[in-house]
Amino acid sequence: MGRNPFTELDIIERIRSLQMITDPQVKLGIGDDCAVLRRPGGMVELLTMDTMIEGVHFNQDWHPPELLGRKAASVNVSDIAAMGGMPRQALLSLGLTNETPTQWIDAFMAGFLAVLAAHDIMLIGGDTVKNPAGVVVSVTLIGAAEEKKVLYRSGARLGDLVWISDVPGIAAAGLELCRAGLAEDEQWRRLVDAHRDPVPEVALGRLLAESGLVNAMMDTSDGIATDLAHICRASGCGADVDRDALPGSELMIAAGNLLQQDPLVWALKGGEDFLLLFTSPASARTKLTELIREKIDRKIYCIGSVTEKDRVILRQGQELKDIAFQGYDHFR
Amino acid sequence: MGRNPFTELDIIERIRSLQMITDPQVKLGIGDDCAVLRRPGGMVELLTMDTMIEGVHFNQDWHPPELLGRKAASVNVSDIAAMGGMPRQALLSLGLTNETPTQWIDAFMAGFLAVLAAHDIMLIGGDTVKNPAGVVVSVTLIGAAEEKKVLYRSGARLGDLVWISDVPGIAAAGLELCRAGLAEDEQWRRLVDAHRDPVPEVALGRLLAESGLVNAMMDTSDGIATDLAHICRASGCGADVDRDALPGSELMIAAGNLLQQDPLVWALKGGEDFLLLFTSPASARTKLTELIREKIDRKIYCIGSVTEKDRVILRQGQELKDIAFQGYDHFR
């Protein structure tokens, strides 16, 4: 018997290839941030499901239950935001040990429901189960969008600009600070919070979808190297990323110095930033940045462009490296 | 810090009481087999989510991956059936260890997708995650129904008859046979299959919903004592169960003799039968049994009646016992 190679892509491809059913309600099944179901009146329903497992996706040594509850909601909200949708209802399946204290459950639920309330999402179902090995949290989130305005990974066009909504790598920096025992150090708060309590980009996602200026979009969960490769694969194109255009932060550089780690590695292969990664026609550059500044007072960062080649290239001066799906440190 | 008492009811009540949002799309949130969302055209969407954890909900010593995949789908299909709906789409979150063999994954998916195919359900999303502690399976299922025909737990009326769709306790008998090392013994096949590969009652559920003859319905997952108490609590009534009217089977009696266990305990507090438990006006008795025999060639069993009192009574001759939520062996 072969061991499973355990890459999520393989298993998803396996599932896709096994399935026979076709359903006219299903506009998009497996393969994007959400599944998309057609609904009457030009609307679609967006559905996403994510599971977080103790010891794999979170560590209770530095992840307090309230922030864990917030994150369990936020990472799913981010998937709806990534398609330009509006989150509406949630289901929660919560696996708890017999030793999980009532206060822990209360704090977790307070965090979870606070994020739901902030986005007008109603918790409509789910279940609670025993799991002696640790806490397991599965969330299903249902969203809504106008069918014509939904943004997919597959929409990138040759010559598009590639944008990111904030500094990539901050969540990875925060995780490393937690691992180093600095989770409660006020100095690193912004980075640690990026890992423990990410903020989904719902307002920006909707604005981008409404604008008509964006061709492809997703949220970043595995680092730019892998996430941009998903857009390229879905769109049948490649991308060039300009190393010098990647936004950084002084705090992240300071954390890199302290931990003797490379912030560029965090940016390229660090997971769980939950930023928006998107492409737009080059002609929309000014209109897009001005719209975002005007409507939500935010800055976005142009980090590269869409190319013909089936690769994701990191470019620094004359130096080129293919970083697609590999992260940064695998190939240097 | 208090330990959690870990009863699902408590946690659900806790969640309910914490939530503020009201959403006009939500016809029913937490508290039935599915959540119910209003959709245009007099339709509703039904949503359910269930998680199965290795070592808690299944044991791989006697649960082969293909049957486990089937069961993960079937238990969710049963929740849709329990409201009279038609299952449509599924999301699957699969937690696997690094040691889970590829062949195991293939067999699991073959079983899962076979049940989906049998009901024309399309798998539209989900995720795969690592879980070193064992296999964890979460499924979200989406169904559809006409708003006016959905059957809830809360519809039972004083004087209604209480019905069950098949012999309760067979899954519990099957589980005990598995535990006794008899999972592969052909003699016990029907009981063992009831535990490992339950068959959701979709056709019967839809027929009952279409009939207009049923007031309340749910599927049985915790034994009649608890399940009927759910209907009573939701409907604000009580129920009398006639011990002599409970359908049994010779095979179950033989298994009880072999294992020195009481089949009545299996029927009252045995979990995971996934039968339909429902109530109808007494006047509909003949019409209902004839309809079911005629349309799907099935027999159903009248096991009692709905009463005014806030209790679930097991009646045998002059002897009465309140079995609500307690199962049988807690009070004898």
Side-chain angles (χ1 to χ4, degrees), chain A:
Chain A
M1 305 263 277
R3 292 275 178 94
N4 79 71
F6 209 95
T7 68
E8 191 173 353
L9 267 178
D10 285 348
I11 293 173
I12 288 172
E13 288 302 322
R14 188 181 295 277
I15 291 169
R16 255 185 174 167
S17 68
L18 286 169
Q19 188 154 245
M20 306 290 180
I21 319 283
T22 52
D23 176 344
Q25 276 194 346
V26 179
K27 176 151 189 191
L28 183 75
I30 295 164
D32 212 308
D33 292 293
C34 298
V36 182
L37 300 183
R38 290 188 185 87
R39 293 294 175 226
M43 298 297 289
V44 291
E45 183 171 321
L46 306 172
L47 288 133
T48 183
M49 182 179 194
D50 272 302
T51 297
M52 289 167 48
I53 289 179
E54 182 170 355
V56 178
H57 301 92
F58 60 91
N59 186 322
Q60 293 213 44
D61 291 346
W62 57 72
H63 222 136
E66 186 167 355
L67 297 187
L68 189 66
R70 292 183 59 85
K71 185 167 180 174
S74 294
V75 303
N76 283 279
V77 172
S78 180
D79 282 325
I80 304 285
M83 310 210 46
M86 192 161 59
R88 297 297 304 265
Q89 293 99 14
L91 295 104
L92 167 68
S93 178
L94 192 54
L96 301 168
T97 73
N98 279 318
E99 286 72 41
T100 311
T102 306
Q103 290 88 332
W104 191 99
I105 302 172
D106 286 345
F108 177 92
M109 287 311 305
F112 185 79
L113 292 174
V115 170
L116 263 52
H119 297 280
D120 272 333
I121 302 165
M122 190 163 175
L123 181 63
I124 58 168
D127 63 349
T128 51
V129 295
K130 235 182 272 198
N131 185 32
V135 172
V136 175
V137 188
S138 277
V139 176
T140 298
L141 204 65
I142 301 142
E146 283 179 61
E147 181 166 2
K148 287 184 182 166
K149 299 204 170 146
V150 174
L151 294 174
Y152 298 91
R153 296 179 180 184
S154 56
R157 298 285 170 266
L158 185 62
D160 273 6
L161 300 177
V162 177
W163 301 85
I164 187 119
S165 63
D166 209 331
V167 179
I170 47 173
L175 174 59
E176 293 304 323
L177 289 163
C178 288
R179 284 182 175 150
L182 298 167
E184 302 307 328
D185 191 331
E186 201 54 38
Q187 177 186 355
W188 307 110
R189 179 102 186 213
R190 178 162 150 62
L191 303 178
V192 169
D193 276 359
H195 166 64
R196 298 198 302 192
D197 188 15
V199 179
E201 299 267 28
V202 178
L204 178 60
R206 294 196 66 203
L207 183 59
L208 293 173
E210 291 288 332
S211 74
L213 301 172
V214 170
N215 286 333
M217 188 155 77
M218 68 180 295
D219 69 340
T220 61
S221 57
D222 296 311
I224 287 177
T226 293
D227 294 328
L228 195 48
H230 281 300
I231 286 182
C232 290
R233 174 179 284 195
S235 302
C237 63
D240 264 26
V241 174
D242 178 359
R243 187 204 192 298
D244 296 329
L246 284 174
S249 84
E250 287 185 17
L251 198 59
M252 206 162 83
I253 293 166
N257 287 338
L258 177 73
L259 301 170
Q260 300 199 293
Q261 295 191 35
D262 184 351
L264 181 61
V265 175
W266 292 336
L268 294 178
K269 65 168 297 198
E272 300 199 307
D273 278 329
F274 303 108
L275 309 178
L276 293 180
L277 180 67
F278 52 100
T279 80
S280 75
S283 58
R285 180 195 280 263
T286 312
K287 215 167 164 186
L288 195 59
T289 52
E290 280 178 3
L291 177 76
I292 289 164
R293 191 176 52 224
E294 183 188 312
K295 294 278 185 188
I296 57 172
D297 194 23
R298 282 277 299 271
K299 190 169 155 41
I300 55 172
Y301 304 89
C302 180
I303 60 170
S305 59
V306 173
T307 63
E308 209 165 359
K309 287 175 197 138
D310 179 24
R311 292 186 297 175
V312 178
I313 300 295
L314 181 70
R315 180 186 297 273
Q316 184 171 25
Q318 296 308 309
E319 204 186 346
L320 308 181
K321 289 174 183 169
D322 188 347
I323 57 172
F325 288 116
Q326 297 174 32
Y328 180 71
D329 61 353
H330 285 248
F331 60 92
R332 63 173 172 182

Side-chain angles (χ1 to χ4, degrees), chain B residues 163-309:
Chain B
W163 302 85
I164 187 118
S165 62
D166 209 330
V167 178
I170 46 170
L175 174 60
E176 293 304 323
L177 289 163
C178 288
R179 284 180 175 153
L182 298 166
E184 302 308 327
D185 191 330
E186 200 54 37
Q187 178 187 355
W188 307 111
R189 178 101 184 215
R190 178 163 149 62
L191 303 179
V192 169
D193 276 359
H195 166 64
R196 298 199 301 192
D197 188 16
V199 179
E201 299 267 29
V202 178
L204 178 60
R206 294 196 64 203
L207 182 60
L208 293 172
E210 291 288 332
S211 75
L213 301 172
V214 171
N215 286 334
M217 188 156 76
M218 69 181 295
D219 68 341
T220 61
S221 56
D222 297 311
I224 287 177
T226 293
D227 293 328
L228 195 48
H230 282 299
I231 286 182
C232 290
R233 175 179 284 195
S235 301
C237 63
D240 264 25
V241 174
D242 179 358
R243 187 204 191 296
D244 296 329
L246 283 174
S249 85
E250 288 184 17
L251 198 60
M252 205 162 84
I253 292 165
N257 287 337
L258 177 74
L259 301 170
Q260 301 199 292
Q261 295 193 34
D262 184 351
L264 181 61
V265 176
W266 292 336
L268 294 178
K269 66 166 297 199
E272 300 199 306
D273 278 330
F274 303 107
L275 308 177
L276 293 180
L277 180 68
F278 53 99
T279 80
S280 75
S283 59
R285 180 195 281 262
T286 312
K287 217 169 163 185
L288 195 58
T289 53
E290 281 178 2
L291 178 76
I292 288 163
R293 192 175 53 225
E294 184 187 312
K295 295 277 186 189
I296 57 170
D297 195 23
R298 283 277 299 271
K299 190 169 154 42
I300 56 172
Y301 305 88
C302 180
I303 61 170
S305 58
V306 173
T307 64
E308 209 164 1
K309 287 175 196 139

Side-chain angles (χ1 to χ4, degrees), chain B:
Chain B
M1 306 262 278
R3 291 275 179 97
N4 79 68
F6 208 94
T7 69
E8 191 173 353
L9 267 178
D10 285 349
I11 293 173
I12 288 171
E13 288 302 322
R14 187 182 292 278
I15 290 170
R16 255 184 174 167
S17 68
L18 287 168
Q19 188 156 243
M20 305 291 181
I21 320 279
T22 53
D23 175 343
Q25 277 195 344
V26 179
K27 175 150 191 192
L28 183 75
I30 294 164
D32 212 307
D33 292 292
C34 298
V36 182
L37 300 183
R38 289 186 185 89
R39 293 294 176 225
M43 298 297 289
V44 291
E45 183 170 321
L46 306 172
L47 287 132
T48 182
M49 183 178 192
D50 271 303
T51 296
M52 289 167 48
I53 289 178
E54 182 169 355
V56 178
H57 301 92
F58 60 91
N59 186 322
Q60 293 212 45
D61 290 347
W62 57 72
H63 222 137
E66 186 167 355
L67 297 187
L68 188 66
R70 291 182 60 85
K71 185 166 181 175
S74 293
V75 303
N76 283 280
V77 171
S78 180
D79 282 325
I80 303 285
M83 311 209 48
M86 191 161 60
R88 296 297 303 267
Q89 293 99 13
L91 295 103
L92 167 67
S93 178
L94 191 53
L96 300 168
T97 73
N98 279 318
E99 287 71 42
T100 311
T102 305
Q103 290 88 333
W104 191 99
I105 302 172
D106 285 345
F108 177 91
M109 287 310 306
F112 186 79
L113 293 174
V115 170
L116 264 51
H119 297 280
D120 272 333
I121 302 165
M122 189 164 173
L123 180 64
I124 59 167
D127 63 348
T128 51
V129 295
K130 233 180 272 198
N131 185 31
V135 173
V136 176
V137 188
S138 276
V139 176
T140 297
L141 204 65
I142 302 143
E146 282 179 63
E147 180 165 2
K148 286 184 182 165
K149 299 205 169 146
V150 174
L151 294 175
Y152 298 91
R153 296 180 179 183
S154 57
R157 298 286 169 266
L158 186 61
D160 274 5
L161 302 177
V162 177
W163 302 85
I164 187 118
S165 62
D166 209 330
V167 178
I170 46 170
L175 174 60
E176 293 304 323
L177 289 163
C178 288
R179 284 180 175 153
L182 298 166
E184 302 308 327
D185 191 330
E186 200 54 37
Q187 178 187 355
W188 307 111
R189 178 101 184 215
R190 178 163 149 62
L191 303 179
V192 169
D193 276 359
H195 166 64
R196 298 199 301 192
D197 188 16
V199 179
E201 299 267 29
V202 178
L204 178 60
R206 294 196 64 203
L207 182 60
L208 293 172
E210 291 288 332
S211 75
L213 301 172
V214 171
N215 286 334
M217 188 156 76
M218 69 181 295
D219 68 341
T220 61
S221 56
D222 297 311
I224 287 177
T226 293
D227 293 328
L228 195 48
H230 282 299
I231 286 182
C232 290
R233 175 179 284 195
S235 301
C237 63
D240 264 25
V241 174
D242 179 358
R243 187 204 191 296
D244 296 329
L246 283 174
S249 85
E250 288 184 17
L251 198 60
M252 205 162 84
I253 292 165
N257 287 337
L258 177 74
L259 301 170
Q260 301 199 292
Q261 295 193 34
D262 184 351
L264 181 61
V265 176
W266 292 336
L268 294 178
K269 66 166 297 199
E272 300 199 306
D273 278 330
F274 303 107
L275 308 177
L276 293 180
L277 180 68
F278 53 99
T279 80
S280 75
S283 59
R285 180 195 281 262
T286 312
K287 217 169 163 185
L288 195 58
T289 53
E290 281 178 2
L291 178 76
I292 288 163
R293 192 175 53 225
E294 184 187 312
K295 295 277 186 189
I296 57 170
D297 195 23
R298 283 277 299 271
K299 190 169 154 42
I300 56 172
Y301 305 88
C302 180
I303 61 170
S305 58
V306 173
T307 64
E308 209 164 1
K309 287 175 196 139
D310 179 26
R311 291 186 298 174
V312 178
I313 300 294
L314 181 70
R315 180 186 296 273
Q316 184 170 26
Q318 297 306 311
E319 203 186 345
L320 308 181
K321 289 174 183 168
D322 187 347
I323 57 171
F325 289 115
Q326 296 173 35
Y328 180 72
D329 60 355
H330 285 247
F331 60 92
R332 63 172 171 182

